[in-house]
Amino acid sequence: MTLPTAEVVRAARRASSGMADRDTPFIFDEWYVAAFSDDVGRELLPRKLLGKNVLLYRTSAGEAVALDDRCAHRSYPLSDGTLEGDTVVCGYHGFRYDAKGDCIEVPAMAKCPRSIGVKRYALVERGPLLWIWMGNAEAADPALIPDTSYHTSPEWACSKEYLHLPGNYVSLHENLLDLTHLSYIHAKSFGSPEYARAPYTTELGNGRFTVRREVIPTVLPPVWADPMGLTGVTTAARIAISAFESPGLHRVTTSFYDSAVPESERVVGTICTSHIPTPETRTSTHYHIVHGRNFGLDDAVATQVMHERLFTAFREDVDALTKLEVVLEETAPEDFYEISVPTDGPSVAMRRYLLQRADAEAQARAES
């Protein structure tokens, strides 16, 4: 059996120390998805986001609200209280909070003190998503929310689903950026043997990391071949672009066509999947997914079949990353090392970026 030399292990550990991992502090000055829009209504919804307990609900006018889920009096979870009109009444001692987070009533006092309140987070609704900013409130610029306009475009047919991932969000981003795993994790769903060996190009920097992979020729799996009319075609093309766009969004765009057809005559179909991770804890992630296609827009059956097949594959990712998290948890520090190879370049660059962002925020907080 061949094991890495001590020198190789030391080098691997030095390299890993410069990359984000499950223990890296969260990046708070960023937009993340708190929930799907239709998950938040006139019920008190508790959700842990970036390690913080948050309360979500809607006012009677339909405005989505996000507050700290902790009464300022004795730290009782406000989500265990009641929603009365547009106010939340703590279930412990009856302190009442308005939608701004201000305490407007203390039942035991004739006059409510003006210095009691809980934090309200910036929350912006865009299509099927509710984006939350949990960092410096003055920096919460909605213009920084990633563009996901295709979610509501009539030129795209979309479906969505939420998955809970018992794994860290850094590993999920790495999984999405390195799609060579399609040949293995997804061998029974939408992977193909030649995918891992297909040529690729990269674009790295400015907080965006992209891998473009061209699998030509290939035989498309049924999930794509059937609605595209390419079933059994051995000259199909599969052009996939995996892009880390922010800590809270990873987008995979894939185009399909028959490479044997002249370019001027080709019918090209494109799918776009927004993979939307929001850290819950250091070892768990809220995983929202919106998938769209620009062909067969009126085919409801195709939408349902494609959704079922795709989310079978996405659950394979969740299963794999859950197993990975268990190994990370159980491996003793003195036994741990991971060796990167040249094709890991984009993932390594992305993880370095996350660590730099996290360190910069931590330093700014320490100096404030």
Side-chain angles (χ1 to χ4, degrees), residues 50-64:
L50 281 68
K52 296 181 180 292
N53 293 319
V54 176
L55 169 64
L56 301 167
Y57 70 97
R58 287 187 188 273
T59 66
S60 55
E63 179 188 12

Side-chain angles (χ1 to χ4, degrees), residues 77-265:
L78 292 177
S79 58
D80 200 51
T82 57
L83 180 61
E84 297 183 2
D86 291 343
T87 65
V88 178
V89 180
C90 179
Y92 195 5
H93 298 103
F95 283 51
R96 184 186 299 270
Y97 297 86
D98 64 16
K100 294 184 293 185
D102 295 332
C103 183
I104 58 174
E105 181 185 3
V106 177
M109 300 178 66
K111 186 176 181 180
C112 181
R114 301 182 62 181
S115 58
I116 302 176
V118 297
K119 184 172 184 178
R120 173 170 174 163
Y121 297 99
L123 200 62
V124 176
E125 192 161 0
R126 294 278 174 84
L129 305 175
L130 281 171
W131 294 87
I132 191 169
W133 182 281
M134 302 185 67
N136 177 8
E138 296 180 356
D141 182 0
L144 298 176
I145 297 175
D147 178 19
T148 54
S149 55
Y150 85 90
H151 293 170
T152 55
S153 170
E155 297 178 0
W156 290 81
C158 294
S159 65
K160 61 183 176 64
E161 191 167 321
Y162 168 88
L163 301 175
H164 183 262
L165 169 63
N168 72 86
Y169 89 112
V170 177
S171 291
L172 176 56
H173 271 303
E174 187 166 56
N175 166 277
L176 294 166
L177 199 55
D178 184 0
L179 293 182
T180 58
H181 75 270
L182 266 65
S183 295
Y184 305 97
I185 296 295
H186 303 304
K188 296 180 180 180
S189 53
F190 62 19
S192 56
E194 69 277 11
Y195 197 97
R197 294 176 172 81
Y200 67 94
T201 57
T202 64
E203 294 182 19
L204 312 178
N206 297 320
R208 182 183 172 91
F209 306 90
T210 301
V211 178
R212 175 188 173 95
R213 191 175 299 273
E214 298 190 1
V215 191
I216 309 173
T218 188
V219 176
L220 296 177
V223 65
W224 314 131
D226 293 350
M228 283 292 298
L230 295 175
T231 303
V233 174
T234 60
T235 52
R238 183 176 184 175
I239 314 299
I241 301 174
S242 180
F244 170 99
E245 298 192 5
S246 81
L249 176 66
H250 195 112
R251 196 188 319 260
V252 178
T253 306
T254 308
S255 296
F256 310 98
Y257 56 86
D258 185 350
S259 64
V261 175
E263 187 171 353
S264 61
E265 301 174 19

Side-chain angles (χ1 to χ4, degrees), residues 264-329:
S264 61
E265 301 174 19
R266 288 175 185 167
V267 176
V268 180
T270 301
I271 62 167
C272 187
T273 308
S274 295
H275 298 270
I276 311 164
T278 300
E280 180 183 41
T281 69
R282 58 184 284 273
T283 59
S284 61
T285 303
H286 299 290
Y287 187 11
H288 296 84
I289 304 171
V290 181
H291 171 76
R293 71 180 189 278
N294 69 354
F295 54 92
L297 302 184
D298 298 324
D299 191 340
V301 173
T303 298
Q304 183 61 31
V305 171
M306 193 175 295
H307 181 94
E308 292 173 357
R309 290 177 175 176
L310 279 173
F311 280 85
T312 294
F314 297 149
R315 291 186 187 92
E316 291 171 342
D317 287 311
V318 168
D319 181 60
L321 292 172
T322 300
K323 293 174 181 176
L324 173 62
E325 197 70 46
V326 171
V327 174
L328 292 172
E329 181 67 29

Side-chain angles (χ1 to χ4, degrees), residues 9-68:
V9 170
R10 285 194 296 271
R13 288 173 174 161
R14 283 195 301 271
S16 294
S17 68
M19 295 185 281
D21 57 22
R22 67 207 293 262
D23 295 318
T24 299
F26 298 130
I27 299 168
F28 288 92
D29 284 344
E30 190 60 70
W31 289 101
Y32 297 92
V33 168
F36 282 129
S37 297
D38 55 12
D39 286 338
V40 179
R42 294 289 291 163
E43 300 285 339
L44 298 178
L45 175 65
R47 183 154 287 188
K48 187 181 290 291
L49 305 169
L50 281 68
K52 296 181 180 292
N53 293 319
V54 176
L55 169 64
L56 301 167
Y57 70 97
R58 287 187 188 273
T59 66
S60 55
E63 179 188 12
V65 176
L67 302 177
D68 262 338

